[in-house]
Amino acid sequence: MSEENLLCCICNDIFTDPVVLRCSHSFCKDCVQEWWSTKQVQMCPLCNKIDFSRHLPSNLALKNLCDDFLLRRKQETSEPLCTLHSEKLKLFCQDHQQLICVVCRDSREHKKHRFSPVNEAAQHYKEQLLQSVKPLREKQLLFKQVKETFDKAAVHIKVQLQKTEKKIMQQFKNLHQFLQDEEKAKIAALKSEEKQKSKVIREKIVDLCRDITALSDTIRATEEETRAADVLFLQNHQQATESVQQHLQLEVPELISGALIDEAKHLANMTYNTWMKMKEMVSFSPVILDPNTAHPELILSEDLTSVTSGQKFKPPDIPERFDQSCCVLGSEGFHSGCHSWDVEVRSDASWGVGVVNESVHRKGQTQTGYWELSFIGGKYLAASRPIPDKVLPVEKLQKVRVQLDWEKGKLSFFDLDTKKLIYTFKHAFTEKLFPYIGTKSKLPLKILPNNFSVTPDDVTLSAGFWPL
C-alpha cells in the first residue's frame, strides 16, 4: 500500500492509533477528538455525517499496515555504523570481505589490505551475483522442460488407462459372449431332447389311456353278461369269452431304453469341452511387445504382438524408451533357459530381429549389446557390433524363428518355412536378454502365436526347440 493511503487527512501524517467512524472513514484518535473539541456536534471531517458514538473502535487492520510501513521506512533510511568506532561504513576490505570505516582502514588489522569504495564494491558484486543467476535461469528452463515431460507423462498415463481398460473390457466381453452363446446352445440342445422325448411319452400315455378305457368297457360288459338269465347268458357267453380273450392279448407297454433325458451327455466334462471350443478364439504369444520401450515413430497393434512405422503422436520421453534406434523390446526378458519365438518379416523395408542386453543404451544410436538378424539395403545381415556385419547367403525370408539357449550362449535364426538354419551367434551371455524388433516399414512385423495342444492330461504349446 502506498504512503498516500496511510495518511490521516487531519494531520496529514501516518496514522497514529487510527479509529474508524460509523461512516467508515478513519482518523488518528487524538486528531479526531481534537477536531470535535472545537465543534458543537461530532461530525466526520470528510463527509460531515454526524457520529454519536461514545466509543471509537480502533482500526486494527489499518494500524498494522501503518506499523509495517514505518518499520520498512526505518530499515531503508537507517545507515549501519561500524561496531568498533561508530563511524559510517564507507569502505569494503577485499581481503577480509567486510565493510569497514576509515578508522578501521588505518588499524593494524587491515594494514596493507586492498580497499574499495562501498559503491564500487557493491556494483562489482551485484554484477558478479547477476552473472551467477544465469545458470539458475538455465536450470529453471531445464526444470520447466522436465515438468512438461512429467505433464505429458501424466496425460499419457490417463490415455493408457482408458485404452487398456477398453481392451480388457472388450476381451472379457468376447469371453462372456462366447460363454453366453455356449450356454444358450447347451440349454437349447437340452430342451430339444426334452421336447422330443416328452412327445414320445405323451403318445404312449394316450395309447395307454385308450387301452385302459377298452379294458374297463370289456370288464363292465362281461360282468353284466354274468348277471343275465341263464338262457340269455348261454346264448351270448361265446361272444363275451372271445372279447375277454382278445383284450387279454393286449401287450403291456414298457419304457424303452433311452426314454429319459441323457443328463450325462449334457453335463459330462462340460467345462472341459467348453474350454476345448475356446481354442478357436484363444491364442498365446510367446513375446508381448512393451509400448513403453517403443521408438516414438513406431505403432504397436492392439494385442501388442506386431509393430509398424509411422506414428504421429509423440509419447513421453521416458528412460526405457529408445529415442534414435527405431525398435521395441519384449515385455519380459530371459536370464536362463531355452526360448524361441517366430516373427513374420514380409516387409521389403529395413528390419531387424534378435535380442539385446538389459543394460543396452536406449538414448542415441545403439552401439553394442545386441545380436540381430537384419535386412538392410536388400541384404540379410548378422549384426552384433563391434563385430563386423556378416552378409548371409539366404533367399527372401517370410518367417523367422529366433531361438535362444542362454546357458550355452547360442542365439540361432531359422527360416521357418524351410526349417533351415540361417545363422548362430555364440557369446557368453551375462545379462538378462530381451527380445527385440526394429523396423522402418509401414507393413507389420508380427510375433506369430503358438498353437495350443490340449489334452485331458496337460496343456502344451506347439512351438518347439529345434536342434542345431
Side-chain angles (χ1 to χ4, degrees):
M1 182 176 289
S2 65
E3 182 178 358
E4 295 179 357
N5 296 324
L6 302 177
L7 296 178
C8 172
C9 64
I10 298 176
C11 64
N12 201 29
D13 200 355
I14 302 298
F15 285 105
T16 301
D17 193 12
V19 293
V20 61
L21 306 186
R22 290 181 178 273
C23 59
S24 299
H25 291 131
S26 296
F27 308 92
C28 298
K29 183 177 182 180
D30 293 340
C31 291
V32 71
Q33 288 180 342
E34 184 178 354
W35 175 275
W36 284 345
S37 65
T38 61
K39 307 295 181 184
Q40 295 182 352
V41 293
Q42 296 183 171
M43 293 189 302
C44 174
L46 285 177
C47 63
N48 294 327
K49 288 186 177 180
I50 298 175
D51 192 315
F52 296 103
S53 301
R54 294 185 179 180
H55 173 71
L56 297 177
S58 297
N59 191 336
L60 295 178
L62 183 57
K63 182 179 185 300
N64 291 334
L65 290 173
C66 294
D67 291 344
D68 291 341
F69 177 81
L70 291 172
L71 179 61
R72 287 198 305 271
R73 188 166 67 178
K74 181 179 181 182
Q75 291 173 346
E76 292 172 357
T77 57
S78 61
E79 184 175 353
L81 300 176
C82 177
T83 56
L84 297 176
H85 309 107
S86 299
E87 295 288 337
K88 291 185 178 180
L89 301 172
K90 294 183 177 182
L91 298 174
F92 184 77
C93 178
Q94 296 181 8
D95 295 273
H96 283 175
Q97 292 288 299
Q98 67 181 52
L99 289 164
I100 63 172
C101 67
V102 292
V103 179
C104 292
R105 177 191 60 187
D106 299 330
S107 67
R108 181 179 301 175
E109 182 182 1
H110 294 281
K111 191 175 183 180
K112 296 182 180 180
H113 285 184
R114 296 168 299 159
F115 307 100
S116 298
V118 169
N119 59 341
E120 291 182 7
Q123 183 63 29
H124 170 72
Y125 286 107
K126 284 180 181 178
E127 292 175 357
Q128 192 178 67
L129 190 59
L130 287 175
Q131 287 295 325
S132 67
V133 171
K134 289 184 179 180
L136 287 180
R137 294 190 184 278
E138 295 175 358
K139 179 74 73 173
Q140 182 188 41
L141 179 60
L142 179 61
F143 270 71
K144 288 182 178 179
Q145 292 173 347
V146 173
K147 181 182 178 296
E148 290 180 2
T149 301
F150 275 73
D151 291 339
K152 289 181 180 178
V155 173
H156 191 68
I157 288 172
K158 295 295 184 183
V159 173
Q160 285 181 306
L161 168 66
Q162 296 173 0
K163 182 173 64 175
T164 307
E165 183 181 22
K166 184 178 179 181
K167 292 178 183 178
I168 292 173
M169 293 175 65
Q170 184 60 47
Q171 289 286 342
F172 277 96
K173 183 179 179 181
N174 294 339
L175 292 174
H176 293 161
Q177 187 62 50
F178 171 82
L179 293 175
Q180 288 174 0
D181 293 342
E182 280 297 302
E183 180 186 8
K184 290 179 181 178
K186 285 283 187 183
I187 293 177
L190 174 64
K191 290 184 176 180
S192 175
E193 183 179 354
E194 183 274 336
K195 182 178 180 181
Q196 177 185 357
K197 293 188 174 180
S198 293
K199 179 182 178 182
V200 172
I201 293 296
R202 284 196 299 272
E203 290 175 352
K204 293 294 184 182
I205 292 174
V206 170
D207 292 340
L208 281 171
C209 290
R210 184 173 60 249
D211 291 342
I212 291 172
T213 301
L215 288 172
S216 298
D217 293 342
T218 301
I219 292 171
R220 184 175 58 256
T222 302
E223 290 176 346
E224 288 180 357
E225 286 292 334
T226 59
R227 289 194 292 270
D230 293 343
V231 174
L232 185 58
F233 168 76
L234 291 174
Q235 288 179 340
N236 297 324
H237 87 280
Q238 187 64 35
Q239 182 179 359
T241 301
E242 291 176 356
S243 178
V244 170
Q245 293 298 325
Q246 180 181 358
H247 285 87
L248 283 175
Q249 294 177 4
L250 290 176
E251 294 183 3
V252 179
E254 295 180 354
L255 282 174
I256 60 175
S257 178
L260 301 181
I261 290 178
D262 188 354
E263 295 182 44
K265 179 183 70 175
H266 296 284
L267 297 177
N269 297 317
M270 184 171 62
T271 54
Y272 173 80
N273 294 331
T274 302
W275 183 32
M276 289 286 289
K277 290 183 179 181
M278 290 180 71
K279 288 193 302 179
E280 299 177 2
M281 64 177 300
V282 173
S283 63
F284 176 83
S285 177
V287 173
I288 298 297
L289 302 177
D290 183 359
N292 290 335
T293 67
H295 185 276
E297 294 181 3
L298 295 182
I299 305 172
L300 272 60
S301 61
E302 290 288 319
D303 60 358
L304 304 180
T305 61
S306 67
V307 57
T308 58
S309 180
Q311 176 72 277
K312 295 182 179 179
F313 169 71
K314 188 175 181 180
D317 184 16
I318 52 180
E320 57 265 41
R321 190 181 306 285
F322 288 87
D323 63 353
Q324 290 193 30
S325 299
C326 204
C327 64
V328 60
L329 303 187
S331 60
E332 295 185 7
F334 313 117
H335 53 75
S336 63
C338 298
H339 310 273
S340 67
W341 57 96
D342 303 331
V343 187
E344 188 176 65
V345 291
R346 298 180 184 275
S347 171
D348 290 331
S350 298
W351 55 262
V353 296
V355 297
V356 301
N357 279 330
E358 183 177 22
S359 63
V360 70
H361 291 292
R362 307 189 185 191
K363 306 304 178 184
Q365 286 295 335
T366 303
Q367 300 296 331
T368 60
Y370 68 92
W371 298 262
E372 70 169 4
L373 169 67
S374 60
F375 179 74
I376 302 175
K379 297 179 181 179
Y380 293 98
L381 305 173
S384 179
R385 294 179 183 178
I387 301 172
D389 296 347
K390 182 176 181 179
V391 179
L392 303 174
V394 294
E395 299 179 359
K396 186 175 179 62
L397 295 174
Q398 300 290 319
K399 300 174 183 177
V400 173
R401 169 161 293 185
V402 185
Q403 185 167 293
L404 171 67
D405 189 330
W406 196 93
E407 276 84 4
K408 292 184 178 180
K410 291 183 179 181
L411 177 70
S412 302
F413 299 91
F414 294 86
D415 184 337
L416 191 61
D417 294 323
T418 64
K419 297 185 179 180
K420 291 183 179 179
L421 176 65
I422 301 173
Y423 188 80
T424 296
F425 287 102
K426 294 183 179 180
H427 182 82
F429 301 120
T430 58
E431 293 187 35
K432 181 182 287 189
L433 300 176
F434 283 83
Y436 147 88
I437 291 181
T439 182
K440 292 186 178 180
S441 172
K442 295 188 181 299
L443 295 176
L445 266 69
K446 180 175 178 60
I447 304 292
L448 297 176
N450 287 347
N451 295 323
F452 275 100
S453 175
V454 184
T455 65
D457 298 325
D458 59 6
V459 179
T460 59
L461 297 172
S462 65
F465 201 76
W466 292 347
L468 298 177

